[in-house]
Amino acid sequence: MARIVNGAVPSPNIWNTPQIYELENLAVGPEGAAEAAMRAVRPFDGATVVEIGCGTGFHLPTLAASAGRVLGVEPHGGLAAKAAARCASLPNVAVRTGTAQALPLPDASADVAIARWAYFFGPGCEPGLRELGRVLRRGGAAFVVDVDASRGAFGRWFRRSLPSYSPEAVERFWSRLGWRREELDLRMTFRSRTDLEAVLGIEFTPEVAGEAMREIDGLEIDYPNVLRWREF
C-alpha cells in the first residue's frame, strides 16, 4: 500500500483512479491556457517553480521546458513515484513527498508556487498559505488554479455533488486575504463517450454524473476555472 504523508488532505479522484485522472488532464484545453495566464503575471523563465500536489507529474515536463528548476511535491507516495518516473529524463525536475502545509523546501528558495486543483479550496488552507510565505523569495508569486463552482453546468454539477461547498464563502475568503483573480474559460474534450463518462464518475456522485451524461451532447464540456494569485 502506498505511503501517504501525515496531514495530507485526501484527493479521492486521483488517489483512487490515477489512470482516469490522466484522461481528465489530457482532456483539458485550450492547451497551455492556465500556464499563459500565470506567466503573464510572473514569467517562469529560469525560475525555481514548485508544483504543490503534483500527482503523477502530468504538468511537470511543461513547466520544466522553461523553468530553471522544477520541484513537484505530492503527499501520496505512489503518485509521487509515478511523477518521478515520468520526469526521470529531465535533469531540472525533482519530486518529493510532502504536504502543502509542510513543504520539503528551505526558506526563501522558490520563485513560483502552483497549486492546481489541489488542497487550496478556501477556508482551511491557512497552514499551506503560511508555508508559501516561508518558501517563496521576495518577488515570487503563488498561483492557485481551481474549479469555478459559481459558473456553468460544471459548477452546478460540482455544487450538487458537494453541497457543503459554498462558492460565495470561498470567494470571500480569498478576497479578504488580498488574492487577485482571473476567470479561466477552459473546456474538456474527450476521445470517446466512455472516457467522458469515466471522468464524470470520479468528479461527481453517481446520480449527478448520470444526469450530466444525459445533458451533454458530444464529447466536449465547458470547464470554468479561476486563477488566483498573490505576489510576495
Side-chain angles (χ1 to χ4, degrees), residues 148-152 154-165 167 204:
D148 188 346
S150 70
R151 293 195 288 142
F154 197 98
R156 171 167 49 84
W157 301 328
F158 187 98
R159 295 193 305 273
R160 286 197 55 210
S161 294
L162 192 64
S164 62
Y165 184 91
F204 307 124

Side-chain angles (χ1 to χ4, degrees), residues 48-61 63-64 69-76 79-81 83-84 87 92-99 103-105 112 114:
T48 296
V49 178
V50 180
E51 184 171 27
I52 302 167
C54 70
T56 59
F58 183 87
H59 300 284
L60 297 180
L63 296 173
R69 178 173 177 249
V70 176
L71 177 67
V73 178
E74 171 56 48
H76 189 291
L79 299 184
C87 300
N92 62 334
V93 178
V95 179
R96 300 285 183 268
T97 54
T99 63
L103 294 170
L105 283 86
V112 175
I114 300 169

Side-chain angles (χ1 to χ4, degrees), residues 55-222:
T56 59
F58 183 87
H59 300 284
L60 297 180
T62 299
L63 296 173
S66 60
R69 178 173 177 249
V70 176
L71 177 67
V73 178
E74 171 56 48
H76 189 291
L79 299 184
K82 290 179 182 294
R86 180 177 226 142
C87 300
S89 65
L90 302 175
N92 62 334
V93 178
V95 179
R96 300 285 183 268
T97 54
T99 63
Q101 61 269 36
L103 294 170
L105 283 86
D107 295 354
S109 59
D111 302 299
V112 175
I114 300 169
R116 194 185 318 239
W117 312 312
Y119 178 75
F120 290 99
F121 298 108
C125 74
E126 292 88 345
L129 298 182
R130 286 193 291 271
E131 272 292 86
L132 294 177
R134 181 183 69 81
V135 304
L136 284 167
R137 299 184 179 112
R138 184 177 295 277
F143 298 97
V144 172
V145 180
D146 200 0
V147 173
D148 188 346
S150 70
R151 293 195 288 142
F154 197 98
R156 171 167 49 84
W157 301 328
F158 187 98
R159 295 193 305 273
R160 286 197 55 210
S161 294
L162 192 64
S164 62
Y165 184 91
S166 168
E168 296 80 14
V170 170
E171 192 60 41
R172 288 194 298 269
F173 174 85
W174 291 107
S175 179
R176 185 172 68 249
L177 294 178
W179 284 61
R180 300 173 69 182
R181 76 187 306 277
E182 176 182 344
E183 291 184 354
L184 296 175
D185 294 320
L186 307 182
R187 63 178 181 269
M188 293 189 197
T189 304
F190 295 90
R191 294 174 298 183
S192 69
R193 294 280 290 182
T194 300
D195 289 354
L196 168 60
E197 185 174 23
V199 168
L200 294 179
I202 68 170
E203 292 296 345
F204 307 124
T205 64
E207 178 184 7
V208 172
E211 291 179 8
M213 279 297 294
R214 290 189 289 273
E215 285 186 45
I216 299 166
D217 293 323
L219 301 175
E220 186 170 293
I221 56 176
D222 291 334

Side-chain angles (χ1 to χ4, degrees), residues 24-49:
E24 184 168 354
N25 276 324
L26 288 167
V28 175
E31 185 177 359
E35 285 80 1
M38 289 186 271
R39 291 172 189 272
V41 175
R42 205 297 183 183
F44 297 174
D45 297 345
T48 296
V49 178

